[in-house]
Amino acid sequence: RDPYTAGHSQRVRRVALAVGRDLRVSTKPLGTLGMAALFHDIGKIGMPDSILTKPDRLSRSESAVMREHVTRGAEIVSRISSLQDSVPAIRHHHERWDGLGYPDGLSGDAIPLEASIIAIADSWDAMTTDRPYAVALTVNEAMLQIRAGRGKQFNPIVVDAFWELARRRPAEILPPESPTAAVAVV
C-alpha cells in the first residue's frame, strides 16, 4: 500500500544492524534487532490510506492515529512466537531519551537499546529520503540533526556509535545512491 514504507524498513534494518555491530551487540540480540528493525512499522498496516499516504503534514488528530502504529505493531508481532523478543523494540522505537516520546514516555536507559538503535536508523532514513510531505535533507544536514538530538531525542551512546560509523565506514549508513565521500563528520 505504501512503497515508501517497504523500502524504508529495509534501509532501517541495514543501518540498525550496522550500528548494532559497531556497538558489539552479540549474535542473538543482533538477530532480534534486525527483525525488529524490519518490522518496526508493521503497525501501519491498520492505518487509513488517507493518513498513511497523505502528501501534507498530518493534523493533530491524524498524528494521534499514526502514533498508534507502535502499539499495533507490538500487538501484531507478539502473536508470532519467533518474534517475541522484537516486541519491546517495535513498541518503543519512538520513545525519546528525554522522555518526550511515545507510547509510554520512557526515558534514558529505560528504553531498550534495540529501540534506541532503531530510533536513530528510522530518523536517519526519514531525514535522508524524499517523502510525500518533505524533501530529503543533505547527508551532512541529517548528520547535524542526529548530533543535535544527542541526549535529547537519542541515546548518546547510540549517537556516538552512529557518528563513528559514519566517519569510519560511511557506506554502511549512507543511502544507497549517495557517494561515500558525502559525509563530512567533524
Side-chain angles (χ1 to χ4, degrees):
R1 290 175 44 218
D2 177 21
Y4 170 78
T5 300
H8 168 72
S9 294
Q10 290 290 341
R11 293 185 302 271
V12 168
R13 181 179 186 272
R14 181 177 65 85
V15 171
L17 286 172
V19 173
R21 283 189 297 272
D22 203 67
L23 285 169
R24 292 182 172 81
V25 172
S26 61
T27 305
K28 187 173 188 280
L30 192 65
T32 297
L33 172 63
M35 293 307 284
L38 187 61
F39 293 113
H40 76 281
D41 279 343
I42 196 167
K44 288 183 178 179
I45 286 173
M47 292 295 123
D49 286 342
S50 61
I51 293 175
L52 191 59
T53 60
K54 185 176 179 180
D56 298 311
R57 292 265 176 212
L58 299 178
S59 70
R60 183 172 281 166
S61 63
E62 290 167 332
S63 290
V65 170
M66 182 60 89
R67 285 178 172 219
E68 294 174 12
H69 83 276
V70 295
T71 52
R72 288 180 183 186
E75 288 169 18
I76 291 167
V77 170
S78 72
R79 297 181 193 136
I80 304 166
S81 61
S82 63
L83 296 178
Q84 289 297 307
D85 292 343
S86 299
V87 172
I90 291 168
R91 180 178 177 90
H92 299 297
H93 76 274
H94 281 293
E95 301 287 2
R96 291 175 46 113
W97 191 254
D98 60 14
L100 299 176
Y102 63 90
D104 300 316
L106 299 181
S107 64
D109 289 327
I111 303 167
L113 179 62
E114 293 86 354
S116 292
I117 293 170
I118 293 169
I120 290 252
D122 187 31
S123 295
W124 172 253
D125 189 66
M127 286 187 264
T128 58
T129 308
D130 285 331
R131 290 161 290 152
Y133 54 88
V135 175
L137 298 176
T138 68
V139 167
N140 290 320
E141 289 169 332
M143 288 297 298
L144 292 174
Q145 290 290 322
I146 295 288
R147 177 60 97 190
R150 184 183 189 277
K152 299 175 188 105
Q153 182 176 355
F154 304 119
N155 179 328
I157 291 169
V158 178
V159 170
D160 294 348
F162 181 85
W163 199 260
E164 273 302 303
L165 192 58
R167 188 180 64 75
R168 289 181 287 124
R169 295 188 311 277
E172 292 188 35
I173 58 106
L174 284 175
E177 65 283 350
S178 296
T180 55
V183 180
V185 179
V186 240

